Amino acid sequence: MSDRGVGAVGAAQVCSVPWPERDHAALGLPVSFDLPVVGHLDALADLAAGAGYLEWRRYRHAAALHTELVVPEEDYDERAVDAYAQCAARIATALSVSQYVAERLLDNAVALRDRLPRVFECLRDGVVSPTFIRTIVSRTELIHGRPYQALVDADIAAALRKPGSWSKARVRDLCDQMVYRRDPDAVRERREEALKGRCFFTEAGLDGMGTVGATMSAERAAIVARVVERLASQVCKPDSRTKTARASDALFALVKHAPFGCDCARPECAFQVVDADEVAANAARIVIHVVTDTTTLTGPVAANTTAAATTTAEAAAQSAAHPQTRDGNPTAVAAEPAAVDAAATDEDAAVAAATTNQVTTDEAVVDVIAADEAPVEEAIADAVVATAVSIDEVAVEETAAVEETAAVEDLPVDEAPADVEPELVDGVGFVAGLGIISGAHVRDLAADPDTLIRPLGDGTDTPLPATQPADPCRPSTALDTYIRARDRYCTWPGCSTPAWDGDLDHITEYDHAHPERGGQTSATGLGAKCRFHHLLKTFGDVVDDQYDDPDHPGRIIRTVTIPEGRTVLGPAHTGFDTHPGLDMIVFGDPPATGPRTVRPSGMVTVRMIRPG
């Protein structure tokens, strides 16, 4: 019988020097918690970087165990409980965690060591949060052993080191963008397998509850979600259910063809009984935003162009009642977008919050936008913009002018290894709220027989209109679409709410009496915010700012400053980083100022119409 460890049986299962007894000053930690507010915030930020370093060390030790116990045997180990499982079991036993948790830790450690060494360094340096590591590892599994593995690792690490903040959605999109563009064939094959594996399932839960789910393509999932949300919104404010509970009831009503109603029990309530079938029929034209460039629509070629595609569930929506003005006035201003308070100003944010139920989404449409871009060395610049616009808006806005993109100097370029064919580099698409999709997926959407491709600009040098003609406070449809495509998500640090589900906020409060004094409606003056962060900025004594980046024309720098004076940079990764052609899109000056001359971008919109 082995006596290993017998002497430690009565000892505490911790290291020799417990953390509370270590020299806090030597570790750079505050020796007291008696700090001002800003001191606590500084400490939290420092600890976040420290947590990254400790996590790096944890993965290093796990990887070292893998090297010691697994690598020597992995090529010929065919045991039922192989060396990998035994290594993970040691970790699980030492940490008192499950085998699954231990294997996940080991998976991450090995992936960071072998596949993502530069990202691993970002974790060590506190550049990336440990909470994002699993997302990065899982979204890069496709590159394992590929010749471009080091390029993707370098691309992701370089992006993570850019100044700015991250959210889980932005990290996910970054990884998918880098992977999907490198090997479109592998991505296409994996997507085909994923489509074959789509399924429907039910699962019994606790307390008499159950779960119903289904896997399907991203655009179908988005349409289903929008239809359910549309029906769930047919209630008044006194309804007692949570938003998710209403959505659950709405889904059942749609499947059962049963009435759906508000539970406020007020006699005067207008939503006591709602016809779910009628709502579903009207909601079959919900806007789904997809972003891509014309190069992606035609396949992986050297030329770079930008286009937009729109998919709707109703072909009848493009009837004579909504004619398309292809050859209309290029300076025509589109109608106001049917988005959630698309341009709510600072002073009316509270009112907007109280009228959310009045907002409707009247189209089941997938929009894909793209812009012309010139190749930089061997890299293909993908300019993708997804637009959420109503049918009427499309009719008047589709002839708006867009600037042509010249060479994009700030686009990061990697030299492709000799064994990677340049033509394999493909474009990508962006689905609002769901993230990046492959170029092949975009082309599948564009190949729909009911697809209508329309130019967003007419090829002239006329700038896009920036405001509504009757109200200079509110953006034109073109500007609304551009900002949501540019920002992608709420621009508040760490927020992943899709830009199309939120507001457009005037960074400086719009002066209705004297618009020329500031807060004008322009690309630099507006930013996407979710409703909560819009209200927080308005009423929470938080100051945000955004201004043109002097080093990168067309791009902007964002900051958020809390009451104690601490300033945090806005998103490090936006639509510009996927579609650099957005840099070149220019809008007209505010009313009463002269126009600027710009180059046309050849931006087009592909409208994909699906019969309801």
Side-chain angles (χ1 to χ4, degrees), residues 162 170 173-174 176-178 181 291-293 296 373 380-385 411-412 427-430 436-437 485-486 488 555 573-582:
K162 289 174 51 181
R170 293 186 189 275
D173 292 349
L174 165 68
D176 289 349
Q177 172 189 331
M178 299 306 180
R181 291 176 59 188
V291 181
T292 196
D293 61 293
T296 303
E373 303 174 36
I380 295 181
D382 294 304
V384 180
V385 180
L411 179 65
V428 295
F430 174 79
I436 298 294
I437 61 174
R486 176 197 70 189
R488 287 193 173 177
R555 300 192 176 217
H573 188 77
T574 66
F576 284 147
D577 297 286
T578 305
H579 316 299
L582 289 171

Side-chain angles (χ1 to χ4, degrees), residues 333 343 345 465-476 479 506 510-516 518-522 526 588-592:
V333 179
T345 58
T467 65
Q468 298 288 337
D471 185 359
C473 171
R474 304 189 70 80
S476 66
L479 181 58
H506 282 87
Y510 186 84
D511 191 330
H512 290 270
H514 302 282
E516 71 281 357
Q520 293 180 339
T521 302
S522 64
L526 290 174
D589 294 317

Side-chain angles (χ1 to χ4, degrees), residues 15-31:
C15 47
S16 58
V17 181
W19 281 89
E21 297 178 12
R22 301 190 182 192
D23 187 346
H24 292 174
L27 293 173
L29 302 175
V31 295

